[in-house]
Each structure stands twice: as C-alpha cells, then as structure tokens.
Amino acid sequence: MFRLWFWILRAVGALCRRAGTWVSTQMHRVTLAHVGQGSRFQAGVRFDRPSSVTIGADCYFWQGVGAPAEGGHAALTIGDRVQVNRFALLDTVGGLTLGDDVLVSEHAVISTHDHGHDPHAQPMPAPKVIEAGAWIGLRAIVLPSCQTIGAGAVIGAGAVVTKDVPAGAIVAGNPARIIGRRDLREVAA
C-alpha cells in the first residue's frame, strides 16, 4: 500500500511541476520583449525589467534564476539554445548578452555593474558579452572587470573571473587563470 501512495504522490508532484513550468512560460511570453519558439521557464524565474529582455529559441530557465536591473542601461539579450540553471544570477544593470548555446550552471553570478569603493554610489555599468558555446561553471563569479568571455570558453566551478577570457580558454581559480584550451572544432560540431 505504501508503494502505491508513493508512486501516486510522485506522479502528482511531476504534474504540478509541469503545470508550473507551463504557467511560468506563458507569463514570460506575455511580459518579455521577445521569447523565441520552444523557450521554457520553470516557476520562480524573475526578470526585473521584462521589457528589455530578448530571448531566442529553445532556451530553458530553471527555477530561481534572477535578472536584477537598476538604472537606464539594463538590458538582457539571449541567443538560441541557452540554458540557465537553478539560482543563477544574471545582473543586467550594465547590459548582458549571452550568445547561442551558452550554458550557465547553478548558482553562477554574472555581474555587469560596479559601485567602486562606495556601496551607496550610483552603479557604474560594465556591459558584458558571453560568446557562443561558452560554459559558466557551478558557483562561478564573473566580475564587472571582465567584459568578454570568448566563444567556447569554459569557466571552472567556483572560479572568480576578473578579466576577459579568450575564445576556447579553460579558466579556474581565484582569480581565474587559463589552465587549458578547448578544441573549438568540438564546440562548433
């Protein structure tokens, strides 16, 4: 009898998650500037300035993804087939562009503004571009001083990125340093 209830509750939970994803996706299709065909959003995804968010086709956003915005420069442009995992933070204050096939892992932080040495100062925008096929690892932090992450680059788990990352580079550590190269032919395939 216990097994039967276990399977029933499991099936009900799966249906509730699917329903939440459907509702969240429909809400974002109405509120965002553009959402491409096949893109989906789990419940709990939040965009502070939805009218400045453009999302390509076949993207997926897991629960808890946030995109805070303040000031007049805030914008988020996302290419096709991008996946942003649980509780990632995409700061859009300075403007953020994610190319096609970018993967942002859980709890990653991508920052596009700075306050200098005064936390109460007006934000200073620092636009950022993450090029096609880049992979931002688990709990990685990309600081405003990094303006570009090249195509096919890999940011290791827990890395703190303080400067631009060239295409195909694999970086790790704090501060992040190049520890290897990725074959860009594999990324394009």
Side-chain angles (χ1 to χ4, degrees), residues 69-138:
E70 60 181 290
H73 296 50
L76 177 61
T77 304
I78 296 179
D80 297 336
R81 298 171 305 280
V82 171
Q83 181 171 324
V84 183
N85 287 298
R86 288 177 174 86
F87 304 105
L89 180 69
L90 307 176
D91 169 24
T92 65
V93 173
L96 177 61
T97 301
L98 303 180
D100 295 345
D101 302 302
V102 167
L103 174 63
V104 180
S105 297
E106 294 180 8
H107 296 276
V109 176
I110 301 170
S111 182
T112 65
H113 78 283
D114 194 359
H115 293 276
H117 296 292
D118 180 3
H120 303 291
Q122 288 295 320
M124 295 176 285
K128 188 176 312 306
V129 174
I130 299 175
E131 296 177 354
W135 176 11
I136 313 298
L138 174 78

Side-chain angles (χ1 to χ4, degrees), residues 3-85:
R3 286 185 184 177
L4 175 64
W5 280 108
F6 171 79
W7 289 108
I8 289 172
L9 290 174
R10 188 172 176 172
V12 168
L15 284 172
C16 288
R17 281 189 300 280
R18 285 188 188 142
T21 297
W22 184 85
V23 168
S24 182
T25 297
Q26 299 313 311
M27 181 192 73
H28 288 302
R29 286 195 181 287
V30 170
T31 59
L32 300 180
H34 174 77
V35 177
Q37 179 129 7
S39 290
R40 296 179 300 146
F41 306 82
Q42 285 189 349
V45 175
R46 182 182 50 95
F47 299 97
D48 281 1
R49 186 163 294 155
S51 63
S52 65
V53 177
T54 302
I55 296 175
D58 298 316
C59 296
Y60 195 81
F61 292 80
W62 288 79
Q63 70 179 12
V65 170
E70 60 181 290
H73 296 50
L76 177 61
T77 304
I78 296 179
D80 297 336
R81 298 171 305 280
V82 171
Q83 181 171 324
V84 183
N85 287 298

